[in-house]
Amino acid sequence: MHISNNPMNVSGLGAALLSIRGALKLLSSSERRWSVVLAGLMMVSAFLESAVVAMVLPLVYSMVEPNRLEKLPLVPDLLAFFALEASTVLPSILGLFAVLLIVASMLKAGIHYFAEALVERGCNRLSHELLEKIVRAPYAWLSLIHI
């Protein structure tokens, strides 16, 4: 069986990688750098959102049974490290929850804005290049004529 290198015969993951490689060739070097920065910021945002979701269980646990919270293995050490008392755990968790939620939302909004700006800048650059090629196209035949 002969396998050709023709991209039209590629399916699945190979086709996706070829599409990604083709898309990356369209980006300028600064657009590639900004794409990497945005990808990193998206990972930070996802981590913050995961932390917000992970804080729900301790928050509910401290609301339901605040006295049992001290009996968990790591909680006394954490309370001593942050110099907190058991009675101040709930407001502290609520405050941290609110701060993480606000920071994650602001970061996500900023990422969305900068991603849209990057896409628009790339579209403008590509359309400018295309228009320049179209404008020069009628005169391309002149270079083919041997005078």
Side-chain angles (χ1 to χ4, degrees), residues 62-73:
S62 66
M63 289 172 81
V64 173
E65 293 187 49
N67 295 333
R68 282 194 72 197
L69 192 63
E70 292 178 347
K71 295 176 184 171
L72 293 175

Side-chain angles (χ1 to χ4, degrees), residues 48-79:
L48 286 176
E49 289 173 359
S50 298
V52 167
V53 171
M55 285 188 67
V56 170
L57 188 61
L59 179 66
V60 170
Y61 195 73
S62 66
M63 289 172 81
V64 173
E65 293 187 49
N67 295 333
R68 282 194 72 197
L69 192 63
E70 292 178 347
K71 295 176 184 171
L72 293 175
L74 293 176
V75 173
D77 296 333
L78 287 173
L79 291 175

Side-chain angles (χ1 to χ4, degrees), residues 6-83:
N6 185 356
M8 300 305 287
N9 292 337
V10 178
S11 63
L13 182 61
L17 290 176
L18 283 175
S19 297
I20 291 171
R21 188 178 302 145
L24 288 175
K25 287 180 182 178
L26 291 174
L27 296 176
S28 67
S29 60
S30 67
E31 290 168 346
R32 277 190 219 113
R33 276 193 302 268
W34 278 110
S35 297
V36 170
V37 168
L38 279 173
L41 287 175
M42 286 178 186
M43 288 182 205
V44 170
S45 175
F47 176 76
L48 286 176
E49 289 173 359
S50 298
V52 167
V53 171
M55 285 188 67
V56 170
L57 188 61
L59 179 66
V60 170
Y61 195 73
S62 66
M63 289 172 81
V64 173
E65 293 187 49
N67 295 333
R68 282 194 72 197
L69 192 63
E70 292 178 347
K71 295 176 184 171
L72 293 175
L74 293 176
V75 173
D77 296 333
L78 287 173
L79 291 175
F81 181 76
F82 290 110

